[in-house]
Amino acid sequence: MPRYSYSVYDSRGLLKRGALDAVSRQSALEVLRGRGLFPLDLVEETRRQATAQRWWEREISLGDGSLPLPALSTFTGELATLVKADLPLDQALHILAVQPTVTRRMRTVAAALLAAVREGQSLSGAMSGRGPEFPEYYWRLVQAGEASGALSDVLSDLARFLERSCEARAQIGSALLYPAILLLAAAAALFVILTVLVPTLVPLFRDSGAPLPLSLRVLVDAEAFVVSHGPLLLLALAGTVGAAIVLFRHPDARLAFDRTILRLPVVGSLISQRETARFCRTLGTLVHNGVPMLDAMRIAGDVMQNRAFASAVAEAGTSIQEGSGLSPPLLECGLVSELALR
């Protein structure tokens, strides 16, 4: 008879784990419900062990511990729908904890939030206690929604905000895919030329006594240089990469690099537009849902990926605190487009 491991909540809201023998999964569910328990997770033990060995099914998360943006967007949208349907918050989180449309990690997070809420914490407090999993702007918005009594509206705005962020990220990725393919194709073509074409053509010119064309001489010299100085080139490349990593960890160096990137003809304009859109979306969502302006500016600055933009937003926040408006300090930094300023 199969053995099932389960996680359940009892009538007092306490999380319990255990195992039982049952003919089928449905029978195990009926046994648990007959005991007055609310199943959260029920998996056959042999299947659990097999699933644990499927490394290709494991979720990939960011190194900083934050939740993936698409998973967070799906979680927020479904939570907003459930709360707007007037379901109690604990029931909404319980549904998400067993909802197959969200990822396994988000189900685990939902179960942890449910346990914290049933212990008396607020939803925003439970989210802020999860460390980097939920960004500050996220739980700040939830906190504002709880204070104003409009949590469902705030979650809906937050879900739309995350959806637009996912769409923007997908558009940027699609725009960069074609150049990346061209670069890979060019690198492959150069490799074939150096390893196949050049060794075939050089003997023909030498046997005929004709001088090598300039382009062919350049390729032959480049190939010879790479072959003779290969270890030194690899060592220099590794040293350059290591020095760049160490240098980028220094705030001043990273700030100078980000400012230089913004001055590039095409890439700088793309990054500037991306950062402006991220700033406007974040600040607009925060202010619209009742987060104070100074806090919203600080959080929006933390969301920026370009340090030059983040520094400009921080300086604008200082100017606002001193009595200035929003557009004058952003105009002085020269990074925000005229359309956004108007």
Side-chain angles (χ1 to χ4, degrees):
M1 183 177 296
R3 187 169 181 82
Y4 294 88
S5 299
Y6 63 82
S7 299
V8 296
Y9 287 102
D10 61 13
S11 58
R12 295 177 297 174
L14 299 178
L15 181 63
K16 296 182 178 180
R17 293 182 174 87
L20 58 84
D21 298 325
V23 177
S24 63
R25 188 174 186 275
Q26 185 63 33
S27 300
L29 287 173
E30 293 176 356
V31 170
L32 293 174
R33 289 167 182 164
R35 297 175 182 176
L37 302 174
F38 301 92
L40 176 65
D41 187 25
L42 181 64
V43 179
E44 187 177 348
E45 288 189 349
T46 55
R47 186 176 302 174
R48 181 189 295 271
Q49 295 171 358
T51 303
Q53 297 175 358
R54 296 173 183 171
W55 57 268
W56 61 86
E57 294 180 353
R58 297 177 184 176
E59 298 174 15
I60 300 176
S61 59
L62 299 178
D64 57 358
S66 59
L67 294 169
L69 190 61
L72 187 60
S73 176
T74 302
F75 169 83
T76 307
E78 298 206 4
L79 181 60
T81 302
L82 294 171
V83 173
K84 186 170 289 187
D86 294 332
L87 265 72
L89 182 59
D90 58 342
Q91 292 187 17
L93 290 173
H94 172 70
I95 292 173
L96 287 176
V98 296
Q99 180 64 258
T101 56
V102 299
T103 63
R104 182 181 305 172
R105 184 181 178 188
M106 289 306 308
R107 291 197 298 269
T108 303
V109 171
L113 293 176
L114 175 60
V117 167
R118 285 182 170 173
E119 290 175 357
Q121 294 187 39
S122 64
L123 179 60
S124 60
M127 289 178 172
S128 64
R130 297 291 299 175
E133 287 184 341
F134 291 94
E136 184 181 358
Y137 72 85
Y138 191 101
W139 61 262
R140 285 280 188 184
L141 285 173
V142 174
Q143 186 180 50
E146 291 173 332
S148 62
L151 181 59
S152 62
D153 296 334
V154 170
L155 288 173
S156 298
D157 291 343
L158 191 53
R160 287 191 294 268
F161 168 78
L162 293 173
E163 288 174 2
R164 290 195 298 268
S165 299
C166 289
E167 291 173 359
R169 179 177 295 185
Q171 290 174 358
I172 294 175
S174 300
L176 296 178
L177 179 61
Y178 183 65
I181 293 176
L182 289 181
L183 288 176
L184 290 176
L190 183 60
F191 178 78
V192 172
I193 290 173
L194 291 176
T195 58
V196 178
L197 187 59
V198 172
T200 304
L201 293 178
V202 171
L204 297 179
F205 280 95
R206 289 176 178 172
D207 293 342
S208 63
L212 295 175
L214 177 61
S215 59
L216 194 56
R217 287 204 306 270
V218 170
L219 292 176
V220 171
D221 294 340
E223 182 184 11
F225 181 80
V226 170
V227 171
S228 59
H229 299 85
L232 292 178
L233 290 176
L234 291 177
L235 185 61
L237 179 61
T240 303
V241 173
I245 293 175
V246 173
L247 191 62
F248 281 176
R249 291 179 178 177
H250 195 276
D252 294 337
R254 178 64 184 273
L255 180 61
F257 175 79
D258 287 347
R259 285 175 177 169
T260 304
I261 288 292
L262 291 175
R263 297 190 186 101
L264 297 179
V266 179
V267 179
S269 176
L270 179 63
I271 294 177
S272 178
Q273 293 177 14
R274 182 198 65 185
E275 293 295 278
T276 300
R278 179 182 285 114
F279 169 72
C280 292
R281 283 198 308 266
T282 306
L283 183 64
T285 304
L286 290 168
V287 173
H288 174 71
N289 289 283
V291 177
M293 186 64 177
L294 293 178
D295 290 339
M297 287 291 293
R298 180 181 57 80
I299 296 171
D302 293 339
V303 173
M304 299 292 100
Q305 294 182 353
N306 186 279
R307 299 295 177 88
F309 248 93
S311 177
V313 172
E315 293 176 359
T318 303
S319 300
I320 292 174
Q321 191 173 9
E322 295 174 352
S324 174
L326 176 61
S327 58
L330 293 178
L331 177 62
E332 291 178 2
C333 74
L335 299 178
V336 182
S337 65
E338 184 179 356
L339 174 63
L341 291 173
R342 289 186 180 276

